[in-house]
Amino acid sequence: MSTALNISLEQQGISTGADLFTNLGTAPLVEAALANNEGMLAKYGPLVVKTGLHTGRSAKDKYIVRDAETENTIWWGKTNVAMDPAHFTALKADFLAALDGKAKLYVADLFGGSQPEHRVNVRVINELAWHNLFIRTLLVRPTNDELASFVPEYTIIDLPSFRADPARHGCRSETVVAVNFTEKLILIGGTAYAGEMKKSVFGILNYLLPAKGVMPMHCSANIGANGDTAVFFGLSGTGKTTLSADASRTLIGDDEHGWSDTAVFNFEGGCYAKMIRLSEEAEPEIFATTKRFGTVLENVVMNPVTRELDFDDASLAENSRGSYPIEFIPNASEKNMGPVPKNIIMLTADAYGVLPPIAKLTPEQAMYHFLSGYTARVAGTEIGVTEPEATFSTCFGAPFMPRHPSVYGNLLKERIAKGAVQCWLVNTGWTGGKATMPGISRMPIKATRALLNAALDGSLNNAEFRKDPNFGFEFPVAVPGVDSAILDPREAWADKADYDATAQNLVQQFIDNFAQFADHVDEGVRQSAPKAA
C-alpha cells in the first residue's frame, strides 16, 4: 500500500498521468516487479533481474551542468564532463514528457546519510519497480513520522526506456546521466544498471559535505569489540565488502561513508556486493543474503526450472551484483554509525606482485596513496596479454568526486592528524610474481584477515618492521600465523632481477600519475613518493 507523499510531484513541477506507487515496502515492490515481468524469484526468495546491455556504470555518459554554481567548484576534466545548461533544459523537458506518458511510476522518499545533521533528502522516481526496491534498499529508509514531513531536496528520475539524442541533449550516446546541482535534479536514461542511482547520491554528498568540513569516503567501515572503528578504502575488486563483513566486528557499511567530528556514518542503509564467484566458505555473511527474500540479484545466472543460482557463471556479467538491507548482515550497526576511526586501511589488488601484503604508512604516505588510489588488474584473457594493467583512481573513487582531489586529500590528512589514526596499505592482489605468470596465485584471504586482525588489535605494532626500498613504507618481517615467505614481496619472487625491474616499472607509473597533484600538496607528501632507481 502506498504512503502519501508530503510534497506531491505536481508541487515539484512534475505532471504525469501515470498511476503512482509511493513509498512501497519490500513485499509490494517485489510483487510489482514480478507482475511487470521485470524478474523472477530464485530458490529461497531473492529477486533475480537482468540489466541488459549495461551491466556496470556508463562513466563516459555522465555529465554535470556547468553554470554559476559549478563553474569554480567542480574539478572539470575527463571525469567531470560539462553539459551546457541549454542542453539540460531540453533533456529535462523530454524526461518530463516521457514521465507523462508512463502507465506506472514508483516513487521513494529516502535519506542519503545516516547522521541526521549531515544527511540529504532524496526523492527517486522510477519506471521499474525493482529499481525502486533497489534504491529503497541502498539508501536510508525514513520512518513513517519522517515521511509525513519529508521535503525532497534532490530528485532523481531514472528511465531506462528513455533514449537520449546526442544532437539535442549534448551527450555522447542514447545513454545519459546528467547532474544539475543548481536545480538539484539528476536525470538517468538509457541504462537499466541500478548502481547509477546509488552513485548519483554518493556524488551529491561528495559535493555537499566538504563545505561542512565532513570527509566523504568511498570505503567500507566496521567496529571492533572495544569500539575501535576501522575504515577500508579500495576500488572494486580489492576486498572492501568482503573484509568489512567480519563476524568478529560490527559492520557500519560496505561502500560509502562520511567522517564527521563525532562519527563515521554510513551514507546508505544497504549493501551492494559483487556476486561473481561468491563462495559460502570465503564470504559466509554475504552468501547468506542470497537466500533471503528482499535481496535483489543483478545478472546472476539462474536455472529457470530449479531456480538454483550459479555464481561462477559470468555469461551475463563479470560485474554481477547483489543488493540487500544492511540488517541482513547479522552483526550490522543498528544506527549505521560508529566512533571516529582508529585505523585506516587502503586496499589494493596489485597484479604486478610488487607490494607487500601489509605496510605501515605515515600520514604523508597515507595522503600520497589516497590521492594515487592505486590498484591493478589482469589486462584480459586474450592471447598475447602478458602484463597487468595499473589503475589509478584518485581518492579510491575518482568517478564520484566532483571537487578537486586535494579537497578530499587535505580533509583526510587533517582528520588523520587530529585523531592520531594509524594507516595501513594492504595488498589483496598477487604474490610471488605477476598475475599473468604461470602458477602465481592471489594473496590467501586467511593471511590477509590475520594481518588485518593484527593491525586492528594493535599487536602488529609490536612486530619488527623493514623499510621497502622502492616505496619507503615499512612492512613487518614476521607475524604469528602468517607465512613469512609472503611478507617480503621481493623474497617471494624466484627471479629477483625480474622483481626489481617490475617494481621500478610500477614506481615510475606512480610517479607519472602523481605529477597532476604535485602542486596541490605540501613537501612532506611529495617526499612520500616512491623512489625511481
Side-chain angles (χ1 to χ4, degrees):
M1 183 176 176
S2 293
T3 301
L5 301 174
N6 178 48
I7 301 294
S8 69
L9 296 189
E10 288 75 12
Q11 287 174 277
Q12 292 185 278
I14 298 173
S15 176
T16 178
D19 289 334
L20 296 181
F21 300 90
T22 57
N23 292 315
L24 294 181
T26 298
L29 283 171
V30 171
E31 290 169 348
L34 295 173
N36 298 340
N37 294 315
E38 296 173 11
M40 298 173 69
L41 287 184
K43 189 175 182 180
Y44 306 114
L47 178 67
V48 179
V49 298
K50 298 176 183 178
T51 63
L53 177 64
H54 296 279
T55 59
R57 290 181 305 101
S58 298
K60 293 182 179 178
D61 294 307
K62 179 190 165 192
Y63 303 88
I64 297 175
V65 176
R66 191 166 189 160
D67 56 18
E69 163 71 27
T70 58
E71 177 66 41
N72 298 314
T73 53
I74 298 296
W75 184 43
W76 300 108
K78 290 182 180 179
T79 299
N80 297 310
V81 179
M83 174 177 278
D84 185 270
H87 282 134
F88 184 85
T89 298
L91 183 67
K92 178 183 175 183
D94 292 344
F95 256 77
L96 294 182
L99 275 184
D100 197 26
K102 297 299 175 189
K104 300 176 182 177
L105 289 173
Y106 302 87
V107 184
D109 287 339
L110 301 158
F111 296 132
S114 297
Q115 190 167 11
E117 56 266 45
H118 299 306
R119 69 192 181 194
V120 62
N121 293 4
V122 182
R123 169 167 289 174
V124 186
I125 303 170
N126 299 110
E127 66 173 313
L128 296 178
W130 84 260
H131 268 194
N132 206 243
L133 174 59
F134 169 91
I135 200 62
R136 185 181 180 278
T137 300
L138 263 295
L139 295 188
V140 178
R141 297 165 287 282
T143 64
N144 287 335
D145 286 344
E146 289 169 331
L147 285 175
S149 59
F150 191 96
V151 178
E153 298 170 65
Y154 281 79
T155 299
I156 297 172
I157 304 174
D158 190 337
L159 302 177
S161 65
F162 185 90
R163 297 293 177 263
D165 178 348
R168 175 170 165 77
H169 302 135
C171 52
R172 187 185 70 101
S173 73
E174 291 186 337
T175 301
V176 66
V177 179
V179 182
N180 190 319
F181 283 110
T182 299
E183 295 191 28
K184 299 183 177 180
L185 178 64
I186 297 172
L187 305 175
I188 303 172
T191 172
Y193 180 66
E196 297 285 11
M197 293 181 284
K198 159 190 159 66
K199 289 306 183 187
S200 292
V201 177
F202 190 35
I204 292 169
L205 289 163
N206 285 334
Y207 182 74
L208 297 176
L209 292 182
K212 301 172 69 175
V214 176
M215 173 70 188
M217 303 178 291
H218 185 215
C219 70
S220 58
N222 62 26
I223 317 168
N226 296 322
D228 55 303
T229 297
V231 163
F232 300 77
F233 288 105
L235 299 174
S236 180
T238 58
K240 226 171 49 272
T241 298
T242 300
L243 293 171
S244 58
D246 183 332
S248 68
R249 296 175 66 84
T250 299
L251 180 69
I252 302 174
D254 79 324
D255 196 40
E256 303 170 3
H257 294 81
W259 182 353
S260 69
D261 288 338
T262 57
V264 167
F265 62 97
N266 195 348
F267 288 169
E268 303 180 305
C271 301
Y272 196 34
K274 292 191 82 164
M275 291 287 128
I276 194 68
R277 291 176 288 279
L278 180 71
S279 79
E280 187 170 15
E281 180 185 6
E283 302 173 76
E285 293 86 4
I286 297 172
F287 189 87
T289 69
T290 67
K291 298 183 176 184
R292 296 283 299 268
F293 178 81
T295 292
V296 179
L297 299 174
E298 295 175 50
N299 303 313
V300 173
V301 174
M302 178 182 71
N303 184 310
V305 178
T306 66
R307 306 297 176 98
E308 295 277 359
L309 302 169
D310 185 350
F311 297 108
D312 294 324
D313 189 335
S315 59
L316 290 177
E318 180 72 23
N319 187 39
S320 57
R321 292 274 180 169
S323 54
Y324 46 89
I326 194 167
E327 58 265 25
F328 280 14
I329 300 296
N331 54 328
S333 165
E334 187 177 341
K335 294 185 177 179
N336 290 352
M337 291 195 291
V340 295
K342 299 280 189 188
N343 287 277
I344 287 175
I345 294 95
M346 298 186 186
L347 300 167
T348 180
D350 177 26
Y352 290 93
V354 164
L355 298 180
I358 195 165
K360 184 161 55 175
L361 304 177
T362 66
E364 291 77 18
Q365 288 170 338
M367 183 172 175
Y368 182 92
H369 284 275
F370 178 71
L371 289 175
S372 297
Y374 165 72
T375 194
R377 298 182 177 91
V378 180
T381 56
E382 312 88 49
I383 294 172
V385 172
T386 58
E387 283 295 314
E389 191 175 79
T391 298
F392 293 95
S393 184
T394 182
C395 308
F396 294 98
F400 324 118
M401 303 295 173
R403 296 182 184 270
H404 192 278
S406 61
V407 172
Y408 308 104
N410 284 318
L411 262 174
L412 180 69
K413 188 181 170 192
E414 289 167 14
R415 292 206 168 274
I416 289 171
K418 187 176 180 181
V421 182
Q422 180 62 64
C423 301
W424 308 90
L425 182 70
V426 172
N427 174 22
T428 60
W430 284 258
T431 180
K434 301 175 192 174
T436 46
M437 292 177 175
I440 300 303
S441 58
R442 197 147 179 188
M443 204 74 68
I445 191 168
K446 288 184 178 179
T448 300
R449 285 201 183 277
L451 291 167
L452 270 176
N453 289 339
L456 298 181
D457 68 21
S459 62
L460 191 56
N461 290 319
N462 300 322
E464 178 188 349
F465 282 81
R466 181 182 300 162
K467 187 174 182 179
D468 184 281
N470 297 298
F471 285 84
F473 44 53
E474 295 186 328
F475 62 87
V477 175
V479 178
V482 178
D483 182 359
S484 295
I486 68 170
L487 292 175
D488 185 332
R490 188 175 189 270
E491 290 303 310
W493 281 54
D495 187 333
K496 303 299 189 283
D498 193 6
Y499 171 86
D500 292 337
T502 304
Q504 277 302 302
N505 173 30
L506 183 57
V507 163
Q508 193 58 53
Q509 290 188 68
F510 264 88
I511 292 169
D512 293 345
N513 173 72
F514 201 80
Q516 62 185 310
F517 307 123
D519 292 338
H520 300 277
V521 299
D522 60 33
E523 185 61 22
V525 177
R526 285 192 289 270
Q527 288 300 317
S528 297
K531 301 296 186 283

